[in-house]
Amino acid sequence: MTSKTTATTLPTRDLTERIGTEVLADKGALLSGVHAGAIRELLEQRGVLVFPKIGFTDSEQVAFTETLGTLAPERDGEAVYDVTLDTTVNKQADYLKGSFYWHLDGTMNEVPILASLLSSKVLPAGGGGDTEFCNTYAAYEDLPDDDKQRLASLRAMHSAWNTLLYYDPEPEFATLRQMMAIGQCELPLVWTHRSGRRSLVLGCTASDIVGLDYAASTKTLVRLRDWATQPQFVYRHRWSVGDLVMWDNTGTMHRALPYDPDSGRMLRRTKLAGEEPFA
Ligand code: SIN
């Protein structure tokens, strides 16, 4: 008997021209994995996928993540991470203070995570807490040619301690040393992916460009962040409870917009393991 694959169309709706698409498939279809290939493809093209009010439980979110690739466990081995600034719930909540600044995840690793998936559980009392994403493929594509040439050979240093200086500009020396012990990584400013597409590698982990003096380096990093986060490259997600948002961490940056740390805001995250080193 020959098996037959039935092509299933994934129902979608684009949210902006350059980034973000809503996926309107039902929970059962998503969990069955029937759309996994199409979702992976769409993620790479559109940067951010929104599954409005899909209402996954933690175990459903893990199961869905596993239909798409290899689930990357968190530092302590757990599959699901509480994204909250409430230190009684998440002992490492302090690290999340860096999430208010544009970044991509995993700049301390040779192979950064492929994607993150966030489910909204509790909205912040008092408002705020939207999440913004920018498309770093589209931002690179639209750069003038002379900029592309100039950036091609540049590399930047990335570190967790640079992010610390964003949210705690006068840290205690002990805190700085602790963050410095995590290390630093030299990465290209322009990532040439296996697909041949190129994206910008920026964000609050980037401290300086190798070989440039401090002023020239800061000027370039700030100018490029400003460029990459222009409205045409950005999608802003206003959360409803039950939404799941996933993003291609290799072709986007993201940041949380301000919210009160005591507001109760709770998102739950799973991650897909990286498949491609920075290059
Ligand atoms: C993150 O940076 O991964 C969290 C984003 C958010 O809290 O909206």
Side-chain angles (χ1 to χ4, degrees):
M1 220 170 72
T2 50
S3 67
K4 209 167 135 195
T5 310
T6 311
T8 314
T9 311
L10 185 65
T12 63
R13 184 178 73 91
D14 287 350
L15 294 164
T16 78
E17 195 185 327
R18 309 295 294 276
I19 179 170
T21 292
E22 229 173 30
V23 176
L24 302 163
D26 66 44
K27 196 193 258 195
L30 293 174
L31 290 173
S32 76
V34 67
H35 293 305
I39 289 172
R40 288 270 313 228
E41 216 170 286
L42 195 63
L43 182 69
E44 206 247 327
Q45 287 163 14
R46 301 289 304 157
V48 178
L49 301 182
V50 176
F51 302 79
K53 297 189 183 169
I54 195 71
F56 281 147
T57 62
D58 283 358
S59 57
E60 286 170 340
Q61 184 170 337
V62 168
F64 176 60
T65 306
E66 287 176 333
T67 66
L68 301 170
T70 305
L71 183 134
E74 297 292 339
R75 221 173 344 167
D76 296 335
E78 70 270 38
V80 183
Y81 179 82
D82 289 330
V83 175
T84 171
L85 289 175
D86 184 344
T87 46
T88 64
V89 178
N90 178 357
K91 297 274 170 286
Q92 301 152 0
D94 266 5
Y95 283 104
L96 286 170
K97 291 179 184 162
S99 67
F100 292 114
Y101 305 94
W102 287 108
H103 65 285
L104 61 96
D105 296 325
T107 51
M108 293 294 95
N109 305 315
E110 206 182 313
V111 181
I113 56 165
L114 171 64
S116 286
L117 297 87
L118 277 184
S119 276
S120 168
K121 302 294 174 184
V122 182
L123 300 180
D130 296 346
T131 307
E132 282 190 322
F133 303 88
C134 72
N135 185 334
T136 52
Y137 280 123
Y140 175 80
E141 279 155 22
D142 282 15
L143 280 172
D145 284 343
D146 59 340
D147 231 355
K148 285 183 180 164
Q149 270 172 24
R150 204 175 68 83
L151 299 180
S153 59
L154 294 182
R155 299 177 68 79
M157 297 308 300
H158 288 255
S159 61
W161 63 261
N162 199 64
T163 302
L164 168 74
L165 296 177
Y166 274 73
Y167 61 80
D168 185 3
E170 291 183 345
E172 285 181 6
F173 185 49
T175 310
L176 180 69
R177 278 188 15 162
Q178 202 184 347
M179 294 299 271
M180 281 186 162
I182 297 172
Q184 54 183 359
C185 233
E186 186 185 309
L187 302 176
L189 259 188
V190 177
W191 181 352
T192 305
H193 297 251
R194 285 184 191 140
S195 62
R197 292 179 78 197
R198 293 188 168 89
S199 64
L200 292 169
V201 180
L202 301 167
C204 60
T205 54
S207 56
D208 61 288
I209 297 176
V210 178
L212 296 193
D213 69 38
Y214 185 62
S217 166
T218 304
K219 220 161 111 182
T220 302
L221 290 172
V222 171
R223 180 175 66 81
L224 289 174
R225 186 195 62 226
D226 216 37
W227 173 270
T229 58
Q230 292 177 92
Q232 68 269 32
F233 304 129
V234 172
Y235 167 66
R236 172 177 178 166
H237 189 69
R238 296 172 171 85
W239 292 97
S240 292
V241 170
D243 287 352
L244 177 95
V245 176
M246 88 184 267
W247 65 91
D248 173 1
N249 181 59
T250 71
T252 59
M253 288 194 292
H254 60 282
R255 68 171 177 181
L257 294 181
Y259 58 92
D260 179 350
D262 299 322
S263 64
R265 181 183 192 261
M266 169 65 78
L267 302 171
R268 278 227 256 281
R269 180 178 78 195
T270 48
K271 296 186 302 193
L272 274 176
E275 299 176 358
E276 191 178 343
F278 289 108

